[in-house]
Amino acid sequence: MSIGETIRNSQIWKSVFRHPMPLDRRNRIVVMLTNFFLHLHPVSVKKQGIALSYTWCMGGVTFFLFLVETLTGVLLMFYYRPTLEWAYKDIQDLRDVVSLGVFRELHRWGAHAMVITTWLHMYRVFLTGSYKPPREFNWVVGVILLLLTLLLSFTGYLLPWDQLAIWAITVGSNMARATPFLGHEGPGQQILHVGGIDMITNASDARFALLGARFVGEETLNRFYVLHCVAIPLAVALLLAIHFWRVRKDGGISGPL
Amino acid sequence: MHGSHADFLARIQLGLGFFYLLLAAMNWVAALLLWRDGPKPYFKLGGITVTNVFAWLIVGGLFLIVAPFAMMGSPPEFSESVKHVINELSGPVTLTVGSLVAMAFLFVFRGWWTKPPIAWLLLNFSLLAMGLAVTDANFFEIVGKPDNVPIVGLVYLLGFFTWLATYKAVINDDRMAQGLPPIEKTEDEKVLVWPDLVYTEMICMVAMTALMLVWALALQAPLEEPASSVKTPNPSKAPWYFLGLQEMLVYYDPWYAGVVLPSIVVFGLMAIPFLDFNKAGNGYYTISQRKFSYIVFQIGFFELWIVLIILGTFLRGPNWNFFGPFEYWDAHKVLAQNNVDLSQYFWGGMLGQGMPKAPAGSGPGMEFLYILWRESPGIILTLAYLVLLPPILAATVFRGFFAKMGLIRFMIMSNLLLLMISLPLKMVLRWTVNLKYIISIPEYFLNF
Ligand code: HEM
């Protein structure tokens, strides 16, 4: 018996994989049903639906990039402290001191790539008309995912706390100042007046809620850190679960009727 | 900035040399693949039949000749006059109008340019143009910024996938015109996910991992000076994927460009499946069967999103002034801007009188009425555009749509369309008659 066979016949291996190697038809079916990760997929699909030239595998690549971001993000969190004192220095150290210091690169370029692949995925879904019934709802879920992807990228942009970061976020969040009704320079904000007191000021408006302060400062860093590392990823994970579930429930990848 | 031009060329010579080598290799691989399938004649040149294999061998050979020159610091370059023309041509007006014309051209002639040899030739041209352009220090400075590199990638990826999708759509449309089903329909036998899909995914993952690693090793993530709230960089730019919106700030106030417009975009995207009642074109590539939705989406995506991002990233410099791709970003460039509100045009220009103003000492209600009166031309125009135009459309060009969609869906669709069109409309008005705001009520921060 070869080593491989010994391993595959051991009780440990068999406790994990409840079937022989997927080499024949029967076991190729069983593997899809008994493996937690694989059971995301159906057992068999239409050939057309999995052609690279049809889906471009763009949804898959986007998901993969999300996983890359999660993994490299956790590694970055080992080193990074979201405070005015440390944020910039920690990023510097990640570049200069930490061995195998490509995680920041992987994380940043992965983020850019994920924005791009999400757009391409949406483009493909549009071009194949895959948002048409019965997949309308999954398209809507997708749009929210797109929005969250952009917000993930946007909140992460601040964390290195360099000039690029705070000014990009300042420019971006200045918009919130002009939110209708809720921004202190927005149209209609005068209406929210109670007993002669202006309710919407620069210390209570939409921008303040976003930044946690009147300008991009330590509160903002903390807020964006929490959004970036916890809140938005959790929301994305939940929506992805729904997204994938619906791909299956809506009859698998679209195809001509 | 980087010393002399020769110094700059020396700095990029290695990369540029490899770039041309890559182009040579790319064409030779193509020739090899074509040769394997059996060479086919392309065209005749003075009695000699040129085969496809031979043509791409030659193109590759030309790049191979260029490579050592580039490697030794004397690559081919655009002449100053060509650069000047390109600078002039890439102004916001010509860029947006030109890209619209280009899109119309690509749409009409989609049967022609999607042919693989033509598409390959176009790719070669665009890469060559890129190679010529990066020899300009100003161009390289902006395009080579680590955070801007993804946009170059995005442009090429979009080009590739647009080609692929259009190519498939053209084939399907031809087939369906002959009464055949689309290609996708002919491949509907079932296959097992293991191995067919699982292996594809596996290969995609490995390829992506390799790509990300190479990218991460080749390009260092940017880290500028530590944040300082007193040193404002000029220009201050949002992250690149929001630069289309930042570009809209030129034409609209933040409440619209930064808050309302993005909300409308998100809402509009979500509404697509519920507005597009066309049942055809579900699950295969086609253009002929869904021309309307196709054109609207392409204009929205390419013209109003991608082109504006490119404009905002590469062509907007200090003070958000426009700079040609080969122009130095001079912070002292001054452009005179004398933009006029519609109400000023109306009261001052047309009627030759002063702006209506509440008499001194009147209460807030009176002031409000006077403001409405002052801005009435713009308000009436906007209301007419959004409220009167849809019924007119429903009774004329969109009669068929209206019948199929019903009142509510039709109103939503036509308003979304009109809002989308209002973006280029406002741009054109700004360029032609220097229109600033259609409705200008700074008293309530309401400028539109
Ligand atoms: C975080 C972003 C996203 C991820 C990870 C993701 C992932 C996926 C995956 C893996 C699939 C299976 C088919 C394929 O790979 O193409 C899929 C299908 C689909 N996605 Fe997404 N997606 C994302 C965003 C979006 C967006 C932005 C939209 C549209 C606005 C969208 C709409 C759809 C639809 C309608 C399907 C079904 C397509 C079909 O059946 O042909 N998704 N998605």
Side-chain angles (χ1 to χ4, degrees):
Chain A
M1 239 198 290
S2 72
I3 298 182
E5 265 176 76
T6 316
I7 293 176
R8 262 177 268 127
N9 283 325
S10 69
Q11 189 184 356
I12 297 179
W13 179 274
K14 283 184 169 171
S15 75
V16 180
F17 302 104
R18 297 197 162 278
H19 53 82
M21 291 291 277
L23 295 175
D24 52 21
R25 187 177 164 83
R26 184 181 171 279
N27 283 313
R28 284 175 171 175
I29 293 171
V30 172
V31 69
M32 298 308 299
L33 298 173
T34 56
N35 183 299
F36 174 78
F37 296 102
L38 291 177
H39 98 286
L40 260 177
H41 285 311
V43 169
S44 67
V45 284
K46 279 197 209 137
K47 195 169 165 204
Q48 157 274 132
I50 57 168
L52 259 186
S53 66
Y54 182 73
T55 64
W56 315 344
C57 201
M58 253 333 140
V61 168
T62 311
F63 181 49
F64 175 70
L65 285 169
F66 179 68
L67 295 180
V68 169
E69 292 303 280
T70 311
L71 185 76
T72 53
V74 167
L75 291 171
L76 290 176
M77 283 174 79
F78 285 163
Y79 296 95
Y80 175 84
R81 285 159 288 182
T83 62
L84 292 196
E85 193 185 351
W86 290 108
Y88 184 78
K89 289 197 190 100
D90 287 343
I91 298 286
Q92 244 176 351
D93 283 354
L94 272 165
R95 184 184 64 190
D96 301 337
V97 183
V98 177
S99 44
L100 286 180
V102 290
F103 293 117
R104 179 159 176 250
E105 274 69 24
L106 280 175
H107 196 74
R108 192 176 186 100
W109 305 143
H112 285 315
M114 190 175 159
V115 170
I116 292 175
T117 58
T118 311
W119 293 356
L120 290 174
H121 171 58
M122 182 178 86
Y123 189 35
R124 186 293 281 180
V125 171
F126 180 85
L127 289 175
T128 55
S130 305
Y131 57 84
K132 299 189 179 198
R135 298 186 179 79
E136 308 101 306
F137 180 71
N138 220 13
W139 170 271
V140 175
V141 173
V143 175
I144 304 175
L145 277 169
L146 170 70
L147 192 67
L148 289 177
T149 306
L150 292 179
L151 288 178
L152 262 180
S153 208
F154 183 68
T155 48
Y157 217 81
L158 181 67
L159 303 183
W161 204 249
D162 61 347
Q163 280 289 70
L164 204 58
I166 68 156
W167 288 102
I169 302 306
T170 304
V171 169
S173 58
N174 270 345
M175 306 291 143
R177 195 155 62 180
T179 313
F181 304 111
L182 297 179
H184 79 279
E185 287 176 9
Q189 60 91 10
Q190 291 96 335
I191 295 171
L192 296 177
H193 227 38
V194 177
I197 298 169
D198 210 353
M199 299 303 285
I200 303 294
T201 66
N202 66 357
S204 68
D205 69 347
R207 182 162 177 269
F208 191 91
L210 186 68
L211 300 185
R214 289 199 192 94
F215 47 86
V216 178
E218 180 141 41
E219 297 85 351
T220 318
L221 185 56
N222 193 49
R223 220 162 258 216
F224 275 41
Y225 179 73
V226 173
L227 285 173
H228 184 77
C229 301
V230 185
I232 306 181
L234 281 179
V236 170
L238 177 67
L239 281 164
L240 278 181
I242 300 174
H243 197 59
F244 297 160
W245 167 258
R246 282 303 290 245
V247 171
R248 295 272 314 258
K249 292 294 146 182
D250 294 341
I253 304 289
S254 58
L257 302 168
Chain B
M1 206 176 338
H2 300 289
S4 73
H5 187 57
D7 288 345
F8 168 71
L9 290 182
R11 195 155 69 88
I12 62 167
Q13 62 186 14
L14 199 63
L16 198 58
F18 273 112
F19 176 73
Y20 281 114
L21 282 183
L22 212 69
L23 293 194
M26 180 183 102
N27 279 291
W28 283 2
V29 169
L32 186 73
L33 293 177
L34 291 170
W35 173 74
R36 219 185 42 183
D37 293 344
K40 289 193 194 65
Y42 262 175
F43 51 87
K44 275 209 165 67
L45 201 80
I48 308 166
T49 316
V50 179
T51 63
N52 50 4
V53 176
F54 188 65
W56 300 124
L57 267 181
I58 294 291
V59 172
L62 291 178
F63 283 128
L64 194 66
I65 296 174
V66 173
F69 288 99
M71 197 95 62
M72 290 178 308
S74 48
E77 300 177 52
F78 280 132
S79 72
E80 287 306 316
S81 50
V82 171
K83 285 189 201 170
H84 184 73
V85 172
I86 295 179
N87 278 343
E88 293 298 314
L89 284 183
S90 42
V93 182
T94 32
L95 185 75
T96 19
V97 177
S99 53
L100 206 61
V101 173
M103 277 175 65
F105 179 84
L106 292 179
F107 179 77
V108 174
F109 296 104
R110 58 185 185 273
W112 173 73
W113 67 266
T114 50
K115 290 203 181 87
I118 309 288
W120 189 253
L121 192 67
L122 291 176
L123 175 68
N124 268 308
F125 270 127
S126 77
L127 288 171
L128 176 63
M130 200 68 187
L132 293 173
V134 291
T135 59
D136 183 277
N138 293 320
F139 182 88
F140 186 83
E141 173 85 4
I142 307 299
V143 173
K145 256 200 191 128
D147 265 344
N148 290 348
V149 168
I151 311 176
V152 180
L154 169 70
V155 169
Y156 276 95
L157 284 171
L158 275 175
F160 171 73
F161 283 117
T162 303
W163 168 76
L164 180 65
T166 317
Y167 177 71
K168 298 187 74 150
V170 168
I171 294 178
N172 277 346
D173 288 342
D174 276 349
R175 287 174 60 94
M176 289 184 290
Q178 298 164 25
L180 295 168
I183 297 274
E184 284 88 347
K185 182 87 183 166
T186 63
E187 299 172 342
D188 62 354
E189 79 262 39
K190 287 243 179 178
V191 291
L192 286 183
V193 166
W194 186 300
D196 282 57
L197 176 56
V198 182
Y199 276 44
T200 311
E201 288 175 342
M202 186 68 195
I203 294 166
C204 277
M205 280 202 286
V206 173
M208 276 311 288
T209 310
L211 178 85
M212 293 312 300
L213 277 174
V214 170
W215 188 358
L217 289 171
L219 212 58
Q220 195 170 47
L223 186 64
E224 295 191 352
E225 313 250 289
S228 150
S229 49
V230 286
K231 269 198 297 191
T232 315
N234 187 7
S236 287
K237 290 192 178 186
W240 62 268
Y241 35 82
F242 288 144
L243 285 191
L245 296 172
Q246 201 175 347
E247 175 65 18
M248 282 334 288
L249 282 175
V250 175
Y251 306 98
Y252 288 102
D253 271 15
W255 73 269
Y256 189 71
V259 184
V260 175
L261 182 66
S263 312
I264 296 176
V265 171
V266 169
F267 174 80
L269 279 175
M270 287 182 177
I272 288 178
F274 307 98
L275 298 176
D276 183 0
F277 56 84
N278 178 0
K279 293 215 166 51
N282 182 349
Y284 52 92
Y285 289 94
T286 172
I287 293 176
S288 306
Q289 292 188 350
R290 40 197 294 250
K291 281 203 181 112
F292 181 74
S293 60
Y294 180 83
I295 292 175
V296 172
F297 188 86
Q298 295 294 55
I299 291 181
F301 186 47
F302 278 94
E303 193 63 31
L304 298 177
W305 192 247
I306 303 295
V307 169
L308 292 185
I309 286 179
I310 292 173
L311 179 61
T313 313
F314 296 129
L315 305 173
R316 290 293 187 180
N319 308 325
W320 209 254
N321 278 334
F322 166 79
F323 290 86
F326 303 113
E327 209 174 321
Y328 171 65
W329 281 16
D330 179 1
H332 304 293
K333 177 172 175 174
V334 190
L335 291 182
Q337 282 209 339
N338 287 315
N339 296 325
V340 183
D341 295 330
L342 179 67
S343 47
Q344 286 168 332
Y345 265 120
F346 182 77
W347 299 107
M350 279 171 65
L351 301 186
Q353 60 188 57
M355 305 280 273
K357 215 172 141 199
S362 41
M366 200 58 176
E367 270 180 14
F368 181 69
L369 287 179
Y370 262 95
I371 290 174
L372 283 188
W373 175 235
R374 184 189 75 206
E375 296 303 322
S376 53
I379 296 175
I380 292 172
L381 209 66
T382 311
L383 284 180
Y385 182 75
L386 291 178
V387 181
L388 282 186
L389 215 47
I392 296 176
L393 290 174
T396 53
V397 272
F398 284 151
R399 191 178 312 166
F401 278 29
F402 183 68
K404 287 209 182 85
M405 296 177 81
L407 181 68
I408 296 182
R409 283 207 293 170
F410 181 80
M411 284 307 281
I412 293 179
M413 183 206 67
S414 48
N415 268 298
L416 284 172
L417 268 186
L418 288 171
L419 285 170
M420 185 170 137
I421 298 171
S422 73
L423 300 179
L425 221 55
K426 179 101 189 257
M427 294 159 98
V428 171
L429 287 173
R430 173 68 58 83
W431 301 330
T432 49
V433 295
N434 288 329
L435 181 76
K436 192 168 180 199
Y437 295 121
I438 295 172
I439 301 174
S440 163
I441 313 183
E443 293 89 340
Y444 300 112
F445 304 118
L446 190 81
N447 300 313
F448 183 72

